[in-house]
């Protein structure tokens, strides 16, 4: 494992392995030292990646898989068979067949990686069926679903974890450790964003919309906030001493998706004529303690990859940002000059314990 943090590494080594390990550890605490028996619900792009990571983790067994797409389901079953030799049960009989998986007594926990619009319902059902839940982002898409999810967790007493991998990026963990050790003093302000041209993911080959396309068409605003807000919420102790209380939000005109669809499907294709929502959204959030967060979201504008998340953090005695090739920090009284310094200068002293424990495993997982 490299001793230095580059922006590329900070992005690449986001620890989905850490997320799985975190879930394994929490559920192990609840179920004892035996491996956790996972049921996977949704094994498309992300679910398959997480399945491969789970299979590389000795604390996890995969006993059942559900996907309405039979080709995806069979690919998942095949991966388990090849990696472990067991044949997980397969469920693919329609959009609510996951409930049959939830009746199985050889499933302790589920990993939900279906389209975002389904997470809230599936997670609440899973908790009420007595399963621990590791859910892909976002947790839910309506306030009612969020409230029901909280109720289901409280009623069931089962563990719910949102698989927000960006919280486990190395630089974000170093900053968290520095905050916990008092280097930043009182925190006042943060900026964060998820800015990533995802227009190709909005469409199927025939121009019909994927689940992401449906969200982009229906919702103006920030419908994918957790990759950016997750680490900031950890840094500011949201729901652990502070909480979000209000926001204002504005979206720009929508031109990026229309331009993309015109080039790919032609100006006369029905999908090109859809009333797309704003491309670029900025929200200003306030916390109960008066801190301010600027949160940006744009997956609809033309830009080169890779640009995904970015962060800025201001405290009374330190300042951090990761807009350069190497994330930069300045600590009043500790930095030798009044100038940005590489976070690498602090890595040895402030490496987070989670990174020390899981970095090697995380480095084998590819996409965080
Ligand atoms: N954390 C990350 O870095 C990251 C990266 C990519 C995607 N994601 C999240 O992962 C989730 C999945 O994204 P994806 O890109 O894999 O999408 P995808 O469309 O590739 O996969 C979704 C899968 O769910 C299946 N599915 C749909 N409805 C179902 C149902 N009712 N029951 C069972 N299966 C069903 C689909 O057939 C498909 O295989 C999304 O919530 C997305 O936000 C997270």
């Amino acid at each position: 494992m490299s001793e230095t943090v580059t922006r590329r590494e900070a992005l690449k080594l986001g620890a989905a392995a850490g997320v799985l390990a975190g879930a394994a550890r929490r559920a192990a605490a609840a179920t004892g030292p035996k491996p956790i028996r996972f049921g996977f619900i949704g094994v498309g792009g992300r679910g398959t990646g997480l399945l491969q990571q789970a299979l590389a983790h000795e604390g996890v067994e995969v006993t059942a898989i559900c996907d309405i797409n039979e080709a995806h389901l069979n690919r998942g079953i095949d991966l388990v068979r090849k990696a472990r030799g067991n044949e997980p049960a397969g469920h693919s009989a329609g959009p609510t067949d996951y409930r049959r998986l939830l009746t199985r007594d050889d499933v302790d926990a589920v990993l939900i990686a279906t389209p975002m619009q389904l997470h809230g319902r599936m997670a609440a059902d899973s908790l009420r069926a007595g399963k621990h839940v590791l859910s892909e982002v976002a947790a839910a898409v309506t306030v009612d679903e969020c409230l029901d999810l909280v109720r289901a967790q409280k009623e069931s007493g089962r563990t719910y974890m949102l698989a927000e991998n960006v919280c486990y990026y190395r630089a974000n963990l170093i900053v968290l450790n520095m905050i916990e050790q008092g280097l930043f003093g009182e925190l006042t302000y943060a900026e964060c964003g998820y800015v990533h041209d995802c227009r190709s993911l909005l469409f199927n080959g025939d121009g019909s919309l994927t689940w992401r396309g449906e969200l982009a068409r229906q919702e103006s605003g920030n419908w994918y906030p957790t990759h950016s807000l997750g680490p900031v919420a950890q840094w500011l102790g949201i729901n652990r001493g502070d909480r979000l209380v209000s926001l204002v939000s504005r979206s720009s005109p929508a031109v990026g998706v229309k331009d993309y669809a015109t080039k790919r499907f032609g100006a006369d294709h029905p999908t090109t004529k859809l009333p797309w929502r704003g491309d670029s959204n900025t929200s200003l959030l306030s916390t109960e303690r008066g801190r301010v967060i600027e949160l940006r979201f744009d997956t609809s504008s033309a830009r080169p990859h890779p640009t995904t998340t970015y962060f800025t953090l201001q405290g009374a005695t330190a300042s951090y940002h990761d807009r350069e090739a190497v994330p930069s920090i300045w600590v009043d009284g500790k930095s030798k000059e009044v100038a940005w310094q590489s976070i690498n200068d602090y890595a040895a002293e402030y490496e987070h314990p989670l990174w020390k424990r899981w970095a090697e495993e995380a480095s084998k997982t590819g996409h965080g």
Side-chain angles (χ1 to χ4, degrees):
M1 179 54 48
S2 150
E3 291 300 313
T4 58
V5 187
T6 61
R7 180 165 171 80
R8 173 171 282 274
E9 182 196 45
L11 296 174
K12 186 169 154 250
L13 298 188
V19 169
L20 275 165
R25 210 172 45 249
R26 286 168 196 226
T31 60
K34 292 182 297 194
I36 308 177
R37 299 167 302 171
F38 261 97
F40 272 65
I41 308 178
V43 279
R46 182 64 174 162
T48 298
L50 290 171
L51 177 61
Q52 287 166 319
Q53 291 171 30
L55 292 170
H57 197 297
E58 61 182 22
V60 174
E61 283 175 13
V62 179
T63 49
I65 302 180
C66 172
D67 198 301
I68 53 169
N69 180 321
E70 258 188 73
H72 291 182
L73 174 70
N74 291 334
R75 177 179 62 193
I77 290 175
D78 211 40
L79 279 170
V80 180
R81 199 187 292 122
K82 283 189 181 132
R84 296 291 181 86
N86 71 300
E87 180 89 9
H91 297 273
S92 66
T96 55
D97 202 34
Y98 73 91
R99 292 192 178 133
R100 238 170 9 111
L101 181 150
L102 297 179
T103 64
R104 303 186 63 89
D105 56 15
D106 61 355
V107 171
D108 305 314
V110 294
L111 190 149
I112 300 172
T114 51
M116 195 189 294
Q117 296 93 323
L118 304 176
H119 295 176
R121 173 82 277 135
M122 286 179 162
D125 285 350
S126 302
L127 290 164
R128 290 196 170 103
K131 311 302 181 194
H132 304 287
V133 172
L134 180 58
S135 171
E136 255 309 333
V137 300
V141 295
T142 69
V143 173
D144 283 347
E145 281 176 359
C146 291
L147 294 173
D148 191 47
L149 191 49
V150 172
R151 273 195 299 271
Q153 193 283 323
K154 287 192 170 152
E155 283 162 26
S156 68
R158 292 295 188 264
T159 296
Y160 174 89
M161 182 172 176
L162 185 65
E164 185 34 82
N165 43 323
V166 182
C167 292
Y168 299 90
Y169 283 3
R170 185 181 181 189
N172 293 344
L173 284 172
I174 293 173
V175 171
L176 179 63
N177 203 13
M178 293 174 92
I179 293 166
E180 285 170 352
Q181 297 200 36
L183 266 74
F184 276 79
E186 176 69 17
L187 298 170
T188 52
Y189 177 78
E191 285 170 16
C192 52
Y194 183 74
V195 180
H196 180 191
D197 182 356
C198 291
R199 291 175 298 171
S200 65
L201 301 179
L202 305 182
F203 304 99
N204 296 308
D206 62 359
S208 61
L209 300 182
T210 62
W211 61 267
R212 288 177 206 263
E214 289 294 347
L215 280 168
R217 184 179 66 83
Q218 290 160 8
E219 310 295 344
S220 177
N222 186 336
W223 50 266
Y224 207 74
T226 70
H227 289 331
S228 37
L229 197 52
V232 168
Q234 281 205 323
W235 293 340
L236 298 188
I238 298 301
N239 298 336
R240 295 177 181 130
D242 200 359
R243 67 189 186 98
L244 302 175
V245 289
S246 68
L247 68 80
V248 289
S249 187
R250 297 299 292 259
S251 293
S252 74
V255 297
V257 179
K258 193 174 178 62
D259 182 67
Y260 176 90
T262 305
K263 286 177 184 142
R264 184 165 165 193
F265 303 108
D268 294 332
H269 194 286
T271 213
T272 304
K273 294 180 177 163
L274 288 170
W276 294 100
R277 304 303 186 116
D279 287 346
S280 206
N281 174 270
T282 297
S283 306
L284 214 49
L285 289 72
S286 301
T287 77
E288 196 165 58
R289 287 167 60 179
R291 289 123 148 215
V292 173
I293 304 167
E294 187 190 305
L295 170 68
R296 178 153 178 239
F297 169 69
D298 186 341
T299 54
S300 299
S301 298
R303 58 178 49 247
H305 191 70
T307 328
T308 50
T309 52
Y310 65 81
F311 299 96
T312 291
L313 181 67
Q314 186 61 57
T317 49
S319 191
Y320 170 77
H321 77 89
D322 70 353
R323 303 285 184 112
E324 319 260 336
V326 176
S328 302
I329 191 151
W330 178 74
V331 185
D332 196 3
K334 198 165 167 81
S335 295
K336 290 187 190 73
E337 307 168 42
V338 185
W340 292 112
Q341 216 180 331
S342 161
I343 190 102
N344 292 318
D345 298 348
Y346 291 85
E349 198 178 348
Y350 294 99
E351 196 78 85
H352 195 281
L354 275 177
W355 190 266
K356 286 187 194 159
R357 170 66 185 83
W358 294 105
E360 201 166 328
E361 200 156 330
S363 70
K364 296 175 196 150
T365 62
H367 187 303

